[in-house]
Each structure stands twice: as C-alpha cells, then as structure tokens.
Amino acid sequence: MLEQWLKTELKPLVQEIDLEGFYPKQILQGLGEQGCFSSSNHQSYLQSVQQEVDTVRLVSKYCMTTGFITWCHLAAITYVRHTKNESLKKRLLAPLESGEVLGGTGLSNPMKNYANLEPLHLKARKVDGGYEVTGALPSVSNLGEDHWFGAVAKVENEDRNVMIFVECRGERLDLKEKKDYVGINGSATYAVRFLDLFVPTEQVLAEDADTFIKTIRPYFLVYQIPLGFGVTEASIASSESALKKQNGCNAYMEEQPDQVNRDLAHQQERLAEQFQNEPLIWESLLPIRKASAEEAVKAAHMTMLHVGGPAYLRKSHPARRLREAYFLVNLTPTLRHLDKMIQITSNEAIN
C-alpha cells in the first residue's frame, strides 16, 4: 500500500524536486498520517525502527531527496524518543510521529566533532531558565518556519556539551536557504546562525550531550543505510530495462545488474542481522553504511553506461540517481569519516 501511494503521490513530483528544488513537505506529512513513523503500534522499539528503515528504502527508490528528508525527520524523532526531558517528549513526540510537526537533524558538525574532524560551531551560555546560544551551522536540512531541529553546543566555562531542540521560528535564528548543490536541492537545506538565541530548559534534550549522542547515534546511522539501498534498487531496475538495447550489447559490459543485485542482497542481510539484538551497535553499522554508499555509486554508474545516451540528459532518472549517490558519499558521516572510524574501532578491538 505504501509503494502504491508513493507511485501516485511522490513519483509525479520527482523532476520538480530534482530540477527545481521543490520541497515535498506533503510527502513527509502523508507518511506520518499513514503511521510510518509511529512507535505505538504494539511492537517493540527495534521493530518500529526496522519498519522505518524500510520506509526510507521505499521512498529512496523513487526519490532519494525525499528519502533524505525522511531520514532527517526520523533523526529528529529519535532525539525526542530518547530524551529524559519528559515535558519535551510529551509536547512533541506525538506531533512528530504523526507528521503534524516536522524536524531536521543539525548534528553534522557534532558528529564530525566527536570524530575529531572539526570543533563545535555553537557555544551556550547558562542563564536563568535555560541557555543563550551563539554560532553558526553551515548546513541543516529539512527546515522550515514550523520545523524543529537538534543541535549541540559547548557550554561556556564548563567541561561539557549540551544538546538542544530548536524551533525554526525563533527571532534570533537566521536561516539562509542553500540551493546551489549538484542535487538534493529540494531538501530544504539552510545555513543557520544563532544570534544569542534563548533556549529554555524545556527544550533541552540532554544536559550531557556526549553521553546522549552515544545512545542515539546508532539510530542516526541506521536510517541512512536504506538511502543507498533505495538508489541501488532503482538503478538495478533501470539497467535491467536496458538489457536488450542495441541487440543486447550490454551483456558484454563488466558491471551487470544481477551481480549488483546479489551484492545488495548481501548488505541487506547484514543489516537485518543487526536487528536481532537490542540495542543497535554503532561500530557494527559503520561498514554497512559505507558499503551502502559505495554500492549506490557503483549501481548509479552502471546504469549511466547501460542506458547510454538517454541517461546523459539532466532530467533523466539515471543522471538524477548518480547525483543522489554522490551526495550520499558526502553525507555525514562521509566515506572518509567512515573510513577513519572503522579503522579506529578495528584498532581498538585488536588492542
């Protein structure tokens, strides 16, 4: 039923999203209305996550930009699901899961910081009733006037970081939209500047952000993996549809859809194994996330060659998927970020 809905509602929007930067807000709202983000449907939390992972995969088969903003929204939901701030959870979890309220991630900079790639860009000063936050984040996706997003700031004069949940409509929050990417321009991505923004205690996700991030980051990562799966599946289908072109000449090419399909099935099995035990393990997900991105690039490249000349039109689906796949390898954690973390965890396991 979900795939049929995506064919009807999302498929007609794909070129407008890709070529004109249209933000498909109504798709996220529709997914929420259909219960795709619900954690209260009489199943375990990990079963809900697995269902949401499959939702991202299905959406990404049609449009990875929309799959990407679905991941952004699920990341925001994850923050609220795991916070110990019960008043914040009571206020926002149900609206986020229903799609009434939408959310973004805001954790690109913190994730890089925890891997020692860059410093935190935000600073927080403790004041009566909350914090005043200053600084700037270069890119936060899935934002809008009525959206929320998470962020991490270094607390001044204290040896700790705080994680906050921010409403975009704040007067001391400056948003500048970014639409100059090769693709993914319909993702509602903004550069965000905090101008001594007051964040009340009621919007603090965690006073100890470092510990909180360790809890949520496996879920942050697991929702990214099906982005690559969806692009790969769609690329395989495009290549298979071109098998008879020019009297079957594609059969002589090195990369073939059946082999890519077998590789995809292997990665999907690896991911399914992760759901056998709770909680999800960050270190075990890292190589699967890396393989998902690499397979998506490989599959998209294969399709460009198999489809041939028609794929070299900017509005073609293979060209779109190639741009989507290259975004995925640069999405935090990027491939080089992943390589570093995989090597570090491997060395720690040996020692």
Side-chain angles (χ1 to χ4, degrees), residues 37-66:
F37 308 133
S38 177
S39 60
S40 58
N41 48 9
H42 308 294
Q43 58 186 4
S44 73
Y45 175 53
L46 214 55
Q47 287 173 326
S48 294
V49 172
Q50 194 166 18
Q51 175 181 298
E52 290 161 346
V53 163
D54 201 50
T55 295
V56 175
R57 177 188 65 82
L58 284 171
V59 173
S60 298
K61 279 177 60 177
Y62 292 93
C63 173
M64 203 194 82
T65 298
T66 310

Side-chain angles (χ1 to χ4, degrees), residues 6-74:
L6 291 170
K7 286 180 181 178
T8 302
E9 301 297 327
L10 176 57
K11 190 175 180 179
L13 300 175
V14 170
Q15 285 202 349
E16 186 179 3
I17 294 167
D18 180 48
L19 301 179
E20 300 176 29
F22 173 72
Y23 171 55
K25 178 180 179 180
Q26 70 270 39
I27 300 299
L28 282 183
Q29 293 171 325
L31 291 171
E33 290 168 0
Q34 294 184 68
C36 292
F37 308 133
S38 177
S39 60
S40 58
N41 48 9
H42 308 294
Q43 58 186 4
S44 73
Y45 175 53
L46 214 55
Q47 287 173 326
S48 294
V49 172
Q50 194 166 18
Q51 175 181 298
E52 290 161 346
V53 163
D54 201 50
T55 295
V56 175
R57 177 188 65 82
L58 284 171
V59 173
S60 298
K61 279 177 60 177
Y62 292 93
C63 173
M64 203 194 82
T65 298
T66 310
F68 169 57
I69 63 172
T70 303
W71 166 73
C72 293
H73 184 63
L74 283 166

Side-chain angles (χ1 to χ4, degrees), residues 291-308:
S292 171
E294 290 175 335
E295 285 295 326
V297 172
K298 179 180 177 181
H301 177 69
M302 173 189 68
T303 305
M304 291 292 294
L305 300 180
H306 278 244
V307 174

Side-chain angles (χ1 to χ4, degrees), residues 115-128:
N116 292 317
L117 301 182
E118 62 184 38
L120 283 177
H121 294 330
L122 302 182
K123 294 183 179 180
R125 183 167 63 90
K126 194 79 173 72
V127 296
D128 289 343

Side-chain angles (χ1 to χ4, degrees), residues 277-320:
N277 298 293
E278 192 170 0
L280 295 174
I281 301 172
W282 166 258
E283 291 81 3
S284 299
L285 292 168
L286 292 171
I288 305 175
R289 163 68 169 84
K290 174 175 157 54
S292 171
E294 290 175 335
E295 285 295 326
V297 172
K298 179 180 177 181
H301 177 69
M302 173 189 68
T303 305
M304 291 292 294
L305 300 180
H306 278 244
V307 174
Y312 199 63
L313 298 172
R314 188 170 185 271
K315 66 179 181 179
S316 77
H317 294 302
R320 169 175 57 82

